[in-house]
Amino acid sequence: MSGSRTSTELRKQGYRGPIVLLGDESSLPYDRPPLSKAVIRGKRESKPLKADYPGLDIDVCLGTVAESLDLAGRRVLTTDGPIEFSHLVIATGATPIRLPGRGEQLVLRTDVEAAALRDRLVPGAHIVIVGASWIGAEVASAALERGCQVTGIEYHPAPLAQAFGAHIGDRFARWWEGAELRTSQRVAAVEPDGVHLEDGDVIAPDLVVTGIGVRAATAWLADSGLQLGPAVAVDEYLRTSDPAVYALGDAAAWWSRRYGRRMDVQHWDDAYTAPSVVASAIAHGTSSGLVHDPVPYFWSDQFGHRVEYVGHHDSSDTVTFEDNLDKGWAARWTDSTGHLTAALAVDQSRLIAATRAEIATGPSLYAT
């Protein structure tokens, strides 16, 4: 999505040079959020983004894998041969982390994977979901809705405890009542005979779905000379150490003036807003002053609820709860000076919008 938007934004910004859009998937660029929120539920098919590539003179090369980068020669080496560039935008996204073992594991990242998972979520099927994460909860919701038996396995003491703490995670755990949720459990391996837990227990389901996180898809850049961690390190203009090379979306860790650190956000909102900054820098240079420094935002639809998070909090921040709302609940984080740093809300979109505006206009809390 971010690669497609960068290409079309370049044309909007008046860039007239040739544009080549490479992608290793066989589908035209599409949005990923509907995959877990609608496609696996059987509510809709994945649809390509609306973009007139031929009309904008954008050369789209599908099924082309970038294998390495030759910075000195200004070439991307691909499965279809080398492609020269004057500017390069890295928007390779992220890849799901898989568990050890020889057993089948389904992940949810692409339209092909979403369709395969949808077709396996049939009434009566026993689905084991490893990771009570955002994606794990959305898969569990879809599976229960479609009549499956669901077992969730979570390493931490509660869902999302690594991000928000067990006291908030316990609130999310209540939504798993229609499923069996095993917390504080570590998976040793997924083998052909089932999911092997470290305590020796083996669960033999019809299907295993792994949702334990992703890593930036930057292995092809290992010998490029770019700074990796594993996401590509970029500045506030989304430039790498090479001024002709940019990175954005899940593949990038960008320098935030607001937070005084690199941000590796890996959320749709970040990938959606970044292309205009890259296109402006390439078409007009950085003198315009347009930088990428959004207030991070994320949402999830799970178990009949809308969950939204905005901002960025540290473990030292103080959290307070609001339960006296018409519906849902909210948590807010403040730092030692009393400044609002983040908010998490259930079925409270107006509250999140107001919080986002407050953080955006507030002080650069962590800048040094």
Side-chain angles (χ1 to χ4, degrees):
M1 187 266 290
S2 56
S4 171
R5 279 184 51 77
T6 301
S7 299
T8 56
E9 282 290 324
L10 278 166
R11 292 301 188 218
K12 289 181 183 179
Q13 296 276 355
Y15 182 79
R16 297 182 178 181
I19 299 175
V20 179
L21 178 60
L22 304 178
D24 64 352
E25 296 183 56
S26 59
S27 304
L28 285 169
Y30 54 88
D31 240 349
R32 296 197 192 279
L35 301 183
S36 61
K37 295 169 174 63
V39 173
I40 64 172
R41 297 170 61 200
K43 301 296 184 181
R44 58 164 280 189
E45 298 292 330
S46 177
K47 299 177 181 179
L49 299 171
K50 293 182 180 179
D52 182 12
Y53 301 113
L56 294 173
D57 193 22
I58 297 170
D59 184 11
V60 181
C61 300
L62 301 176
T64 301
V65 180
E67 296 183 312
S68 62
L69 171 61
D70 175 12
L71 270 183
R74 289 293 190 258
R75 300 185 306 165
V76 176
L77 306 181
T78 80
T79 50
D80 292 335
I83 298 177
E84 297 182 351
F85 64 85
S86 59
H87 292 86
L88 173 66
V89 180
I90 299 166
T92 45
T95 55
I97 299 170
R98 295 176 183 268
L99 293 159
R102 298 175 291 108
E104 180 188 37
Q105 298 177 55
L106 267 65
V107 294
L108 180 52
R109 186 70 182 179
T110 69
D111 58 345
V112 173
E113 292 164 347
L117 177 56
R118 175 200 60 205
D119 294 344
R120 300 281 290 275
L121 297 181
V122 297
H126 181 198
I127 314 298
V128 164
I129 300 171
V130 183
S133 57
W134 299 112
I135 196 69
E138 292 185 350
V139 172
S141 301
L144 291 171
E145 184 180 277
R146 306 193 76 189
C148 301
Q149 175 190 350
V150 175
T151 299
I153 303 174
E154 171 57 45
Y155 170 70
H156 294 91
L160 303 169
Q162 74 277 24
F164 303 117
H167 57 301
I168 291 181
D170 287 340
R171 293 179 175 233
F172 291 115
R174 300 168 194 166
W175 296 352
W176 287 73
E177 290 180 353
E180 177 192 14
L181 178 60
R182 299 189 182 191
T183 57
S184 300
Q185 297 277 337
R186 182 189 289 271
V187 174
V190 177
E191 300 293 355
D193 64 341
V195 179
H196 290 241
L197 304 180
E198 278 199 343
D199 63 8
D201 194 10
V202 178
I203 307 173
D206 298 304
L207 179 66
V208 178
V209 181
T210 301
I212 57 174
V214 297
R215 291 193 181 98
T218 56
W220 65 286
L221 298 168
D223 299 320
S224 66
L226 298 179
Q227 182 182 347
L228 305 177
V232 183
V234 294
D235 63 14
E236 61 265 49
Y237 300 103
L238 302 174
R239 296 176 304 186
T240 69
S241 54
D242 186 310
V245 179
Y246 296 75
L248 73 169
D250 292 355
W254 43 272
W255 178 259
S256 169
R257 295 180 181 179
R258 185 189 314 278
Y259 296 108
R261 52 163 286 184
R262 290 200 188 281
M263 303 290 286
D264 188 359
V265 176
Q266 294 186 337
H267 295 327
W268 177 92
D269 192 67
D270 187 76
Y272 184 83
T273 57
S276 60
V277 175
V278 172
S280 176
I282 292 175
H284 308 297
T286 58
S287 59
S288 66
L290 184 62
V291 300
H292 185 66
D293 198 13
V295 177
Y297 168 76
F298 174 76
W299 86 96
S300 175
D301 296 326
Q302 52 182 271
F303 302 107
H305 297 283
R306 176 84 166 188
V307 183
E308 295 173 273
Y309 175 82
V310 64
H312 173 75
H313 71 273
D314 286 339
S315 58
S316 60
D317 291 348
T318 300
V319 61
T320 57
F321 292 94
E322 292 185 43
D323 288 309
N324 58 338
L325 302 170
D326 291 338
K327 61 176 182 176
W329 53 271
R332 296 173 183 263
W333 284 265
T334 53
D335 67 7
S336 59
T337 66
H339 289 120
L340 180 67
T341 58
L344 171 72
V346 174
D347 301 325
Q348 298 292 321
S349 292
R350 288 186 179 180
L351 183 151
I352 284 292
T355 302
R356 191 176 193 178
E358 182 177 348
I359 295 174
T361 57
S364 298
L365 300 174
Y366 305 106
T368 56

